[in-house]
Amino acid sequence: PEQLAWCGVDSVLLYWEEILLMVGPYGDWLKYTYDEPAHLVTECDGVRVLTRGKHEFLQRVPESLVSILGIGSFTPGALLYDALDLFHSQAARGDDNLRLIGPSHFH
């Protein structure tokens, strides 16, 4: 690679001409393509990708967000977030989600 940069504490970015590869701690990867040369700038929680026309910031999605916003998640945070969404849309089902969480999580 032309450039190599740490992305947070457990991911790495590899850059070749117009191709950027983000590799996670378990070998999962994402490929990004660019129409122009890019420059990587490491930050403490991610990497800035600078080109002539763009300024992007890449970082791994924190596990706390995955547990709340992940598809099919039934963690207490996900149920509470769904209950709030249902409350805003004035759906009575939001109360059902609060009951699923149970009183032990409301201290």
Side-chain angles (χ1 to χ4, degrees):
E2 295 174 16
Q3 295 180 61
L4 182 68
W6 279 106
C7 186
V9 295
D10 58 1
S11 181
V12 68
L13 290 177
L14 304 133
Y15 176 77
W16 292 269
E17 186 176 328
E18 299 178 357
I19 295 175
L20 181 65
L21 193 66
M22 176 187 260
V23 182
Y26 306 110
D28 297 333
W29 55 272
L30 291 170
K31 179 182 171 183
Y32 300 90
T33 57
Y34 291 89
D35 296 335
E36 54 189 342
H39 179 70
L40 306 180
V41 179
T42 302
E43 301 283 340
C44 63
D45 56 349
V47 173
R48 294 190 185 280
V49 181
L50 305 170
T51 67
R52 286 189 176 142
K54 291 185 199 177
H55 177 185
E56 299 176 324
F57 185 75
L58 298 178
Q59 67 180 28
R60 285 195 63 232
V61 177
E63 283 300 317
S64 57
L65 271 179
V66 172
S67 74
I68 293 172
L69 301 176
I71 296 172
S73 178
F74 283 99
T75 63
L79 293 172
L80 187 59
Y81 184 79
D82 190 46
L84 178 65
D85 191 39
L86 292 168
F87 173 77
H88 285 302
S89 64
Q90 299 180 349
R93 290 188 350 247
D95 192 51
D96 295 338
N97 281 9
L98 293 177
R99 292 181 204 284
L100 284 173
I101 295 171
S104 62
H105 290 88
F106 294 109
H107 287 103

